[in-house]
Amino acid sequence: QVQLVESGGGLVQPGGSLRLSCAASGFTISGYTMSWYRQAPGKERELVATITGTGTSTIYVDSVKGRFTMSRDNAKNMVFLQMNSLKPEDTAVYYCNKATPRRLWGQGTQVTVSS
């Protein structure tokens, strides 16, 4: 009932772009800080980007700064991650997350960057 569902992943060439979407259902995301995480094969889950409830502030891990942009549309109950200039090291399963009041994860969407 209460869930986050990611979509938009796929196979892209280095330098390409993808836009990931996270659709919330069973609750309203308005006012909540939301985040994107990723987990590459054999590696621990990593925080990629965070956006405040109003969408006025975003933070990014250094490795994606200048390439990724997180945004939200509270009216659509969705958050997004625009990924440009993709690199092979961006290959991972990307997860949407809400931390409070109860931590909630999506199922993940696979992003593969390869020639």
Side-chain angles (χ1 to χ4, degrees):
Q1 183 66 263
V2 177
Q3 61 181 354
L4 299 171
V5 179
E6 303 94 335
S7 62
L11 174 64
V12 297
Q13 295 183 9
S17 297
L18 284 174
R19 190 194 192 210
L20 305 184
S21 299
C22 173
S25 61
F27 74 102
T28 301
I29 68 167
S30 180
Y32 294 123
T33 295
M34 302 290 292
S35 298
W36 285 96
Y37 287 74
R38 67 186 180 187
Q39 188 164 25
K43 297 183 180 293
E44 63 187 23
R45 193 166 296 187
E46 172 190 37
L47 176 63
V48 177
T50 296
I51 189 167
T52 58
T54 60
T56 57
S57 181
T58 51
I59 60 170
Y60 304 92
V61 67
D62 285 345
S63 60
V64 309
K65 286 182 178 178
R67 301 188 298 118
F68 290 10
T69 302
M70 188 175 182
S71 62
R72 67 191 298 151
D73 188 336
N74 289 337
K76 296 180 179 178
N77 219 29
M78 298 180 71
V79 297
F80 308 93
L81 185 66
Q82 179 66 47
M83 309 165 68
N84 299 325
S85 302
L86 284 162
K87 305 175 180 180
E89 49 263 46
D90 295 319
T91 296
V93 177
Y94 284 72
Y95 298 90
C96 186
N97 169 260
K98 180 176 75 71
T100 62
R102 193 171 191 149
R103 198 167 191 85
L104 180 65
W105 295 96
Q107 85 291 339
T109 185
Q110 176 71 52
V111 172
T112 303
V113 185
S114 176
S115 59

